[in-house]
């Protein structure tokens, strides 16, 4: 891993395996693909979680990971402060920044929405990660494993806030929305995306290109949340043997979905709207999954 960070938006990119001289960041910055020269720096942060560690502390008081004071510096060089880091570090031991490279975009051309012909997706930063949102249907394209990262962040945030699982709210799923679903093409390679039936029988379909990312319709997060809250996970058949992407089997994802559902429920209560009137339409605070995640990471 050889990381560079965007000076404008601080998005990180791994330039270890790229031939290009520069990396184009969706914020507009052109970043040199030359990784920084490493410097030695005092260990002030936990390499596992980024929490502050006191002088002489042997174990992180937050996550209990061992504090490596004299590392063999074979790990990442911090793209923000240039400190050498021990192998396997997930956070910089000098400044605490998380090492989270995101997929490098090969072209400046905007991607086309897999649902709305001729409509270009707009880049949007969510918690420091770049996704693409359709201004028309508000669907969200999360490149590579960015969706997993977002879900993980929402989950971490939720854990930090000490929120407990929200109470179940039985709602009618809008299965009718799914009736019109057709096979979609990956906005990057134009190949047919795989359709994944969430929980195998929820009727909620997400689209997935194994090489490029995940597409979520604006209403899918809510539908998935409803399925989870109705106990669909417990009654769904066992996990697939082929190890294929299985949304509900991942507790992190499930927790994030529950968190998202709570947000929607809160917002719905605040705006005093009936369920029937709930839409992701214009004028509503949450216009889509992008807004939902952004709002959650803000709290
Ligand atoms: Zn940037
Ligand atoms: Zn820690
Ligand atoms: Zn650093
Ligand atoms: Zn669209
Ligand atoms: Zn693709």
């Amino acid at each position: 891993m050889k990381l560079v960070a965007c000076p404008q938006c601080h998005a990180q990119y791994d330039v270890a395996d790229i031939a290009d001289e520069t990396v184009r960041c969706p914020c507009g910055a052109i970043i040199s693909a030359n990784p920084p020269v490493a410097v030695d720096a005092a260990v002030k942060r936990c390499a596992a979680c980024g929490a502050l560690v006191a002088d002489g502390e042997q174990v992180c008081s937050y996550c209990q990971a061992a504090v490596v004071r004299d590392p063999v510096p074979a790990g990442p060089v911090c793209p923000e402060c240039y400190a050498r880091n021990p192998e396997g570090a997930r956070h910089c031991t000098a400044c605490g920044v998380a090492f989270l490279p995101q997929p490098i975009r090969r072209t400046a051309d905007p991607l086309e929405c897999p649902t709305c012909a001729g409509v270009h997706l707009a880049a949007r930063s969510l918690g420091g990660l770049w996704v693409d949102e359709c201004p028309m249907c508000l669907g969200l394209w999360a490149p590579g494993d960015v969706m997993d990262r977002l879900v993980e962040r929402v989950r971490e945030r939720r854990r930090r806030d000490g929120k407990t699982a929200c109470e179940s709210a039985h709602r009618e799923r809008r299965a009718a929305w799914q009736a019109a679903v057709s096979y979609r093409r990956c906005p990057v390679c134009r190949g047919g995306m795989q359709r994944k039936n969430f929980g195998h029988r929820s009727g909620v379909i997400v689209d997935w290109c194994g090489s490029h990312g995940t597409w979520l319709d604006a209403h899918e997060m809510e539908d998935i949340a409803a399925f989870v809250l109705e106990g669909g996970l417990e009654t769904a058949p066992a996990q697939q043997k082929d190890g294929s992407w299985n949304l509900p089997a991942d507790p992190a994802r499930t927790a994030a979905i529950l968190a998202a559902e709570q947000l929607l429920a809160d917002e719905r209560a605040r705006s005093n709207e009936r369920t029937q009137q709930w839409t992701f339409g214009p004028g509503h605070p949450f216009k889509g999954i992008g807004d939902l995640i952004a709002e959650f990471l803000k709290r």
Side-chain angles (χ1 to χ4, degrees), residues 108-165:
D109 299 335
L111 302 171
E112 197 174 302
C113 177
T115 308
C116 317
V119 177
H120 287 153
L121 303 179
R124 172 172 191 178
S125 177
L126 288 178
L129 297 166
W130 284 99
V131 296
D132 299 273
E133 191 175 54
C134 174
M136 190 85 96
C137 69
L138 301 167
L140 198 74
W141 172 250
D145 64 352
V146 164
M147 196 61 219
D148 295 325
R149 303 268 190 78
L150 284 171
V151 162
E152 175 60 24
R153 284 195 179 193
V154 170
R155 186 178 74 110
E156 253 176 37
R157 196 49 169 271
R158 190 176 166 79
R159 202 166 45 204
R160 218 179 307 150
D161 293 349
K163 293 228 176 78
T164 53

Side-chain angles (χ1 to χ4, degrees), residues 6-11 13 25-29 31 130:
C6 173
Q8 274 180 205
C9 73
H10 300 279
Y13 301 98
C25 185
C27 77
I31 311 155
W130 284 99

Side-chain angles (χ1 to χ4, degrees), residues 77-83 85 91-97 99:
V77 175
C78 176
E80 294 289 353
C81 77
Y82 313 147
N85 277 273
H91 288 260
C92 175
T93 53
C95 74
V97 73
F99 300 137

